[in-house]
């Protein structure tokens, strides 16, 4: 595709950013649809974030993905933040609106998408979320949107867990569509409590730690013993996408659980952002194929 004087720009900003897979995913979609756009990765130092946003506005950049370390830092620089991003406490997608930069968080939609496709009643499901970092916050909001009966978050630092737990008290968690707001209990626990949290009948076990991520591919956040005798109705979901699959998902699959890896969340959060920017359906299959091809190339 030719870059001309009318070509519009989308981007991802972060630091470092050269490892980002978002340009692969978005440019595959742009090319497939024959759009006059390009999606570029810009390394942005924290102290330049405000200057970069002004510059982006000046050149009419349409929208951008936002990644580490700017997901929280960008929030005070925006004219409007969606309730969803406020609940998560992080913005990963911005767009240039008439009133200034608007921001939202598409990680929640990305996380929820493969689960929502299962079309089941989640009210009897116990969600156990491993880790209490940034991604865990999107997972908690996602589990709440699905209507999981219990949401139990596991971490290693008592002070961080207490902050995590209390942070939700002041937040009105947004639901999607027509679901009615229901009471959901979010509890926090240390790793030593994990075996007792495993509901063998109806579990959604989510790894939102980097345990098992390349190059530590032999590591797993859970042991075989913890999931022995687990029902086939239970789901193991790893946010990690390299390796593909992780040790955690291999153990879960051997124990008879359904498994979901991080590639789908990555594709779906990108697709949600793409649709916000371009106001047309994202070619999700094309985006997924491009990502899987790239991950395959990285791993071989
Ligand atoms: P983060 O904010 O740094 O949080 C990581 C969490 O994992 C923290 O709670 C941390 O505990 C915990 N943790 C780290 N190492 C641990 C260990 N050895 N033992 C126990 N706990 C440990 O990172 P994040 O942004 O939430 O990302 C977490 C994972 O999700 C990463 O692997 C990332 O690649 C993945 N992710 C995937 C997607 C996707 O689209 N698929 C999107 C976002 C994130 P402390 O707070 O105590 O240090």
């Amino acid at each position: 595709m030719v870059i001309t004087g009318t070509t519009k720009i989308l981007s991802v900003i972060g630091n470092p950013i050269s490892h980002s897979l978002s340009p692969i995913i978005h440019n595959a979609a742009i090319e497939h649809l024959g759009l006059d756009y390009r999606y570029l990765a810009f390394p942005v130092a924290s102290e330049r974030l405000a200057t970069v946003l002004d510059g982006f506005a000046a050149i009419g950049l349409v929208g951008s993905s936002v990644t580490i370390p700017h997901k929280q830092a960008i929030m005070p620089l925006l004219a409007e933040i969606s309730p969803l991003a406020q609940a998560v406490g992080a913005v990963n997608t911005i767009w240039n609106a008439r009133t200034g930069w608007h921001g939202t968080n598409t990680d929640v939609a990305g996380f929820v998408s493969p689960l929502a496709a299962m079309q089941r009643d989640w009210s009897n499901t116990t969600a156990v979320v491993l880790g209490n970092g940034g991604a865990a916050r999107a997972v908690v909001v996602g589990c709440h949107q699905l209507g999981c009966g219990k949401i139990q978050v596991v971490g290693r630092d008592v002070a961080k867990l207490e902050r995590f737990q209390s942070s939700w008290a002041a937040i009105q968690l947004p639901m999607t569509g027509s679901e009615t707001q229901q009471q959901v209990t979010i509890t926090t626990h240390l790793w030593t409590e994990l075996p007792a949290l495993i509901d063998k009948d109806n579990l959604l076990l989510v790894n939102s730690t980097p345990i098992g991520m390349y190059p530590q591919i032999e590591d797993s956040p859970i042991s075989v013993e913890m999931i022995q005798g687990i029902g086939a109705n239970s789901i193991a979901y790893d946010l990690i996408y390299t390796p593909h699959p992780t040790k955690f998902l291999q153990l879960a699959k051997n124990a008879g659980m359904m498994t979901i890896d991080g590639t789908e969340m990555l594709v779906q959060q990108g697709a949600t952002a793409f649709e916000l920017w371009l106001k047309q359906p994202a070619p999700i299959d094309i985006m997924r194929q491009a990502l899987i091809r790239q991950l395959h190339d990285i791993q071989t």
Side-chain angles (χ1 to χ4, degrees):
M1 274 168 59
V2 184
I3 295 177
T4 69
T6 60
T7 304
K8 296 184 190 68
I9 304 175
L10 295 164
S11 77
V12 56
I13 54 172
N15 196 22
I17 199 62
S18 57
H19 65 285
S20 174
L21 295 165
S22 294
I24 298 284
I25 298 172
H26 286 285
N27 285 317
I30 288 167
E31 197 166 327
H32 176 77
L33 295 173
L35 302 174
D36 189 14
Y37 279 79
R38 278 294 185 282
Y39 183 103
L40 302 172
F42 294 119
V44 173
S46 295
E47 64 277 15
R48 294 291 181 94
L49 187 57
T51 312
V52 166
L53 279 191
D54 285 347
F56 278 178
I59 61 164
L61 185 129
V62 175
S64 184
S65 309
V66 180
T67 188
I68 292 166
H70 305 313
K71 284 181 169 192
Q72 284 92 28
I74 202 163
M75 295 175 80
L77 305 173
L78 303 177
E80 211 171 296
I81 298 171
S82 72
L84 195 67
Q86 282 169 10
V88 176
V91 161
N92 78 337
T93 303
I94 59 168
W95 63 97
N96 197 347
R98 253 186 314 112
T99 51
W101 290 103
H102 290 201
T104 192
N105 189 303
T106 66
D107 278 338
V108 179
F111 168 73
V112 166
S113 176
L115 297 169
M118 293 177 173
Q119 296 196 322
R120 58 192 240 176
D121 175 11
W122 296 92
S123 59
N124 294 322
T125 299
T126 300
V128 174
V129 182
L130 307 176
N132 53 283
R137 294 193 68 86
V139 169
V140 164
V141 175
C143 291
H144 176 78
Q145 281 189 350
L146 288 168
C148 292
K150 279 194 228 163
I151 303 174
Q152 302 177 318
V153 176
V154 177
R156 59 182 173 181
D157 182 314
V158 175
K160 280 187 187 170
L161 281 175
E162 279 172 6
R163 279 203 299 279
F164 190 93
Q165 166 101 50
S166 59
S167 72
W168 300 102
I171 294 170
Q172 192 67 28
L173 285 177
M175 303 292 283
T176 55
S178 58
E179 299 101 325
T180 47
Q181 183 83 23
Q182 56 170 308
Q183 199 58 40
V184 176
T185 337
I186 299 167
T187 54
T188 52
H189 307 266
L190 285 166
W191 284 86
T192 46
E193 297 167 60
L194 177 57
L197 303 177
I198 304 277
D199 174 347
K200 296 245 157 109
D201 291 326
N202 220 331
L203 178 72
L204 170 60
L205 181 59
V206 184
N207 179 29
S208 63
T209 76
I211 302 171
M213 187 159 71
Y214 181 84
Q216 262 76 46
I217 61 172
E218 288 305 319
D219 292 354
S220 163
I222 54 139
S223 64
V224 184
E225 293 71 32
M226 280 183 209
I227 51 170
Q228 231 157 30
I230 201 152
N233 203 28
S234 291
I235 303 163
Y237 193 145
D238 202 336
L239 267 50
I240 293 172
Y241 41 84
T242 43
H244 178 71
T246 55
K247 183 83 175 184
F248 165 53
L249 291 189
Q250 289 172 39
L251 295 178
K253 194 169 178 201
N254 292 344
M257 296 174 80
M258 288 175 259
T259 59
I260 302 173
D261 68 35
T263 52
E264 199 55 21
M265 176 170 171
L266 189 62
V267 168
Q268 297 285 351
Q269 64 78 27
T272 306
F274 187 93
E275 291 178 357
L276 272 169
W277 296 322
L278 294 164
K279 315 238 176 317
Q280 62 177 293
I284 292 175
D285 287 344
I286 299 292
M287 297 169 97
R288 187 184 297 112
Q289 281 164 22
L291 173 63
I292 289 174
R293 234 185 353 257
Q294 184 69 11
L295 288 173
H296 180 261
D297 289 352
I298 292 170
Q299 283 185 55
T300 52

